[in-house]
Amino acid sequence: MDAGFTAEQDEIRRTLRELLHKRCGPEELRAALDTPAGYDPVLWTALSDQLGLPGLALPEAYGGVGCSVTELALAAEETGRALAPSPFLATAVLAAPLILALGTEAQRAALLPRIAAGALTAALAVPGTALGTALALTGTGDGDWAGGGRAGGVQARRAGDGWRLYGQVDQVLDGHSAELLVVAAHTGGFARSRTLFFLVTGDVAGLVRVRQTALDATRPQARVQLRDVEARLLGEEGPDAAGALAALGDSVAAVLACEAVGAAGHALERTVEHVKQREQFGRAIGSFQAVKHRLADVYVQVQAARSAAYFAAWGAAHESGGAARSASLEGRWRETGGRVGGLALAQGLEALRGAAAEGIQFHGGIGFTWEHEAHLFFKRASGDELLFGPVHRLRAHAADAARLFEGREVAV
């Protein structure tokens, strides 16, 4: 495994960091959160036009850049540093790869170039609070998360040559503003229920979307109601549509892990800057040994999480690309594949939570105020745990999948 970055990867990181530094400072961030969409459309246009961010990991045949999950994760690290609110996660990380994996050639040709150009935003609607399970991060991802028969979730029924959907989905990332919804629904009645994915346009009759108050305001969420709406089936009526989403779990987790690491690193940097300036008893508090020890612990935690996130991103890219592996570190990926992403995400969220908590403490009174940005980092960690975790479940599922505690002798 080559731990170094290529010149292209360094350029992506540098350019994205400079753009976000200019266009997504603390004031711009708060202004974007107060808009109806929850993000700055002008910034999203700049990210799309100048960097091709929505299509970074899409094939060139569909208007994308043709990079791998690694580049997507490195870009997420920079957006995480700025806590940049944008349709990036919902569109480029969740919806677009699913359309690429399941869609027919006609659907790919019609949708992916528009997504890559930033002209179309999309969101993934998964029933209930089952996104982590559907991605096989905290559960098996076999489709049980969508419910069964007529019990909850979203129901799909045939209507002539098309489909009609009825039901409600909560906690849909960017669901209130996305121009295209990829909705998981079950069909076939109680005895033959199976999960399929459907495409729903944002302006279709019967679709009601309401933005919800979320713990993490930088990740806008919505309640989506489908009142007998017209929909198109994504791809064909294959037996393993839910499995296609579960297969994306490791890539999604790697991207989220890098995003969390970027946020944790920036929170730590801001805290270090503050303790160098804040004085107590006639000296900067950063000179006290206890403060140095606590921040050193956070630094070690962040660096360890960064290493895990990079390895998960590298592994997810090589797994999807089918690259050959050596008999050393690369050769062991197959043994841990499909679980490293969840473990890296758990470590990244834990590092972010720790860095944010220490930042709030060391900022003192101002760290507890709404006006200071310290609380935004803590809410990002807590909000992501609610959506994709929590941390202990991410680790427990990885241990179960690896059969870590089954049928093995323990040396004494």
Side-chain angles (χ1 to χ4, degrees):
M1 173 184 174
D2 184 3
F5 295 117
T6 66
E8 182 183 28
Q9 290 170 340
D10 285 331
E11 183 66 16
I12 291 173
R13 290 155 58 91
R14 183 191 64 80
T15 306
L16 185 53
R17 182 174 298 192
E18 290 179 356
L19 178 60
L20 291 174
H21 179 72
K22 294 177 182 178
R23 305 289 294 272
C24 194
E27 293 183 2
E28 292 82 1
L29 171 61
R30 292 181 180 275
L33 298 182
D34 292 335
T35 63
Y39 67 90
D40 182 5
V42 177
L43 174 61
W44 179 243
T45 300
L47 293 172
S48 304
D49 294 345
Q50 298 180 25
L51 299 177
L53 190 62
L56 193 61
L58 290 176
E60 294 181 24
Y62 300 112
V65 181
C67 293
S68 68
V69 177
T70 302
E71 285 75 21
L72 196 67
L74 295 178
E77 184 178 2
E78 298 305 320
T79 62
R81 281 180 55 86
L83 295 180
S86 75
F88 172 67
L89 176 60
T91 300
V93 182
L94 292 173
L98 191 60
I99 295 173
L100 180 63
L102 288 178
T104 63
E105 183 57 36
Q107 289 173 335
R108 294 175 185 173
L111 299 175
L112 293 181
R114 295 173 60 199
I115 290 177
L120 178 68
T121 57
L124 175 65
V126 172
T129 57
L131 189 54
T133 302
L135 291 167
L137 298 177
T138 57
T140 58
D142 56 5
D144 289 343
W145 46 266
R150 300 179 178 84
V154 179
Q155 305 294 325
R157 63 178 178 83
R158 287 187 179 276
D161 296 332
W163 294 80
R164 310 290 294 190
L165 302 185
Y166 189 91
Q168 177 174 300
V169 187
D170 298 315
Q171 296 181 321
V172 181
L173 289 173
D174 293 318
H176 60 295
S177 60
E179 296 157 308
L180 177 69
L181 296 176
V182 182
V183 182
H186 42 76
T187 183
F190 181 80
R192 296 179 296 172
S193 178
R194 54 178 173 161
T195 301
L196 297 174
F197 290 93
F198 298 86
L199 300 174
V200 177
T201 58
D203 57 354
V204 68
L207 179 64
V208 179
R209 303 186 287 177
V210 180
R211 183 178 176 181
Q212 301 293 101
T213 300
L215 174 63
D216 178 13
T218 64
R219 291 221 197 276
Q221 300 177 27
R223 173 183 294 122
V224 176
Q225 295 178 338
L226 303 111
R227 302 174 179 176
D228 197 32
V229 303
E230 181 182 357
R232 291 175 294 155
L233 179 66
L234 176 61
E236 306 293 342
E237 292 189 51
D240 197 27
L245 179 58
L248 298 176
D250 213 49
S251 298
V252 173
V255 172
L256 288 168
C258 283
E259 186 186 61
V261 164
H266 188 59
L268 177 60
E269 291 171 8
R270 293 296 304 270
T271 303
V272 171
E273 292 174 3
H274 181 74
V275 299
K276 289 179 179 179
Q277 299 172 2
R278 180 186 174 191
E279 293 188 358
Q280 195 170 18
F281 306 113
R283 56 190 286 195
I285 65 171
S287 64
F288 296 129
Q289 191 176 46
V291 174
K292 292 180 180 179
H293 285 177
R294 287 173 63 175
L295 291 180
D297 288 341
V298 174
Y299 176 79
V300 171
Q301 189 178 31
V302 172
Q303 290 301 103
R306 178 173 281 114
S307 296
Y310 287 169
F311 177 69
W314 170 88
H318 281 65
E319 185 72 16
S320 60
R325 298 171 180 79
S326 69
S328 57
L329 183 61
E330 289 87 344
R332 293 181 59 84
W333 174 258
R334 181 66 65 179
E335 181 180 348
T336 58
R339 295 179 291 273
V340 172
L343 290 173
L345 177 56
Q347 195 162 354
L349 292 178
E350 200 167 54
L352 175 54
R353 186 172 56 191
E358 291 287 38
I360 292 173
Q361 288 289 324
F362 284 124
H363 275 84
I366 62 173
F368 287 86
T369 62
W370 183 259
E371 290 75 18
H372 199 272
E373 64 175 339
H375 69 96
L376 295 176
F377 291 94
F378 191 83
K379 289 178 178 178
R380 169 59 66 87
S382 301
D384 276 5
E385 279 203 64
L386 291 174
L387 283 170
F388 304 101
V391 166
H392 71 272
R393 288 191 60 191
L394 289 167
R395 288 177 172 151
H397 177 64
D400 291 341
R403 299 180 179 178
L404 193 61
F405 304 111
E406 293 181 12
R408 298 188 179 186
E409 295 182 0
V410 179
V412 294

